[in-house]
Amino acid sequence: MDGRGLVTFDSSGIGEFEVSWPSRAETPNGKTSPEELIAGAHSSRFAMALAHGLTGAGTPPTTLETKAAVTFQPGEGITNIVLTVVGTVPGLDNAAFVKAAEDAEANCPVSKALTGTTIILDASLA
């Protein structure tokens, strides 16, 4: 319960970040958690997959606002991830956007790596 450490991003050089047990289950107090790191990786890679798919289909997005909320339950682990995306995509209706988001989520390498966890997708146009 008192565990803590550092995560260092060597390849990018963006720095070191403190990781602690309380940042997972209590108050972050300026520290990160493995779940926050997973959320960042998931939301950014999903956004890249969605932008790539939309652009390849001839409807490049103007904006994609993507968030991932990772739920951690002590004693159980990660119980789910809610992946939310709101996009501005000229020439695309909401149904087509949701379909593109579903395809991106299904083919996103991070989503595939997290298949043991329930991923809930919430996609809509702005």
Side-chain angles (χ1 to χ4, degrees):
M1 298 296 176
D2 296 328
R4 64 178 189 259
L6 289 174
V7 172
T8 304
F9 293 90
D10 293 334
S11 63
S12 65
I14 61 173
E16 293 182 341
F17 298 89
E18 291 184 64
V19 179
S20 72
W21 173 262
S23 68
R24 298 176 85 189
E26 298 168 17
T27 305
N29 291 326
K31 296 174 178 61
T32 191
S33 67
E35 291 76 23
E36 183 178 35
L37 297 170
I38 288 170
H42 198 187
S43 62
S44 62
R45 187 57 185 93
F46 167 77
M48 285 190 259
L50 180 55
H52 178 75
L54 290 167
T55 300
T59 53
T62 303
T63 62
L64 294 175
E65 183 178 329
T66 308
K67 298 176 185 176
V70 176
T71 302
F72 172 76
Q73 184 66 41
E76 291 182 48
I78 294 173
T79 56
N80 69 51
I81 299 170
V82 177
L83 193 56
T84 304
V85 61
V86 177
T88 303
V89 186
L92 204 64
D93 66 19
N94 197 68
F97 181 72
V98 169
K99 172 76 170 103
E102 290 170 346
D103 290 345
E105 193 277 321
N107 294 299
C108 168
V110 176
S111 291
K112 287 181 177 184
L114 298 170
T115 56
T117 301
T118 300
I119 299 171
I120 302 160
L121 178 62
D122 179 14
S124 62
L125 290 173

